[in-house]
């Protein structure tokens, strides 16, 4: 997390991460997440770059120079197997959107990559492109997560 996030942004980001982990773990799928700051399977980067710019300073050559909005995930896969997912936050994402964006990007980093558009989805779907209103998984999201990662 870069210096631009110190203070309230850092506190809110860490709370958003803990809440997203708890929400995903409670879904009952085979996915059970834990926080690991030293060697994460899904790095979460808080970069000091504006939204609607290009990624710089990520530490991942494949990401450098690629476009980013407020937040996003990049999933690297081969033959249907996720090799690495990287989540990026920019300084342009409003602090009140952290909880929703964190949950959405982690779920997408697990392979549920679809985004949806339209006002209908703004209050119904974590994958809404135009809204960061939801902070919980709906029954439909939980079902989709369970289909991708069936309980053991």
């Amino acid at each position: 997390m870069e210096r631009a996030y110190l203070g309230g942004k850092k506190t809110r980001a860490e709370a958003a991460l803990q809440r997203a982990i708890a929400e995903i773990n409670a879904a009952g799928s085979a996915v059970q997440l834990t926080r690991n700051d030293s060697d994460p399977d899904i790095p979460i980067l808080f970069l000091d770059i504006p939204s609607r710019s290009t990624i710089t300073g990520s530490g991942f050559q494949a990401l450098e120079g690629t476009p980013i909005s407020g937040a996003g995930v990049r999933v690297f896969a081969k033959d249907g197997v996720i090799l690495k997912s990287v989540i990026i936050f920019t300084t342009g994402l409003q602090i009140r959107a952290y909880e929703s964006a964190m949950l959405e990007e982690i779920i997408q980093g697990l392979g549920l990559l679809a985004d949806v558009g339209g006002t209908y989805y703004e209050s119904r779907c974590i994958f809404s492109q135009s809204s960061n209103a939801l902070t919980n998984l709906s029954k439909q999201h939980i079902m989709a997560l369970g289909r991708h990662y069936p309980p053991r």
Side-chain angles (χ1 to χ4, degrees):
M1 187 174 290
E2 294 189 359
R3 294 182 54 82
Y5 295 92
L6 296 181
K9 286 185 176 183
K10 179 179 181 179
T11 302
R12 188 75 177 256
E14 289 180 348
L17 176 59
Q18 287 309 114
R19 193 175 189 325
I21 289 171
E23 184 76 9
I24 292 166
N25 288 348
S29 74
V31 174
Q32 292 294 297
L33 302 175
T34 58
R35 182 173 172 170
N36 181 337
D37 292 337
S38 61
D39 187 25
D41 289 330
I42 303 174
I44 302 172
L45 311 175
F46 287 83
L47 301 178
D48 189 3
I49 58 174
S51 62
R52 296 180 189 87
S53 64
T54 57
I55 297 172
T56 58
S58 70
F60 294 89
Q61 188 59 39
L63 298 179
E64 296 298 303
T66 62
I68 183 83
S69 58
V73 64
R74 302 302 187 267
V75 177
F76 302 95
K78 183 176 181 178
D79 299 326
V81 175
I82 297 173
L83 304 173
K84 177 65 95 180
S85 293
V86 181
I87 297 170
I88 304 107
F89 282 80
T90 70
T91 55
L93 185 69
Q94 296 179 352
I95 193 170
R96 69 176 185 263
Y98 282 14
E99 286 184 19
S100 178
M102 183 71 73
L103 182 59
E104 175 188 5
E105 303 307 340
I106 292 173
I107 291 289
Q108 289 183 324
L110 294 172
L112 286 82
L113 289 169
D115 281 319
V116 294
T119 55
Y120 177 83
Y121 295 103
E122 290 179 354
S123 63
R124 293 174 172 87
C125 187
I126 196 77
F127 303 119
S128 171
Q129 271 301 94
S130 55
S131 173
N132 285 311
L134 296 182
T135 58
N136 295 95
L137 297 175
S138 70
K139 289 180 183 179
Q140 187 175 10
H141 298 121
I142 292 168
M143 184 187 315
L145 189 59
R147 299 257 170 134
H148 280 76
Y149 297 97
R152 297 176 189 200

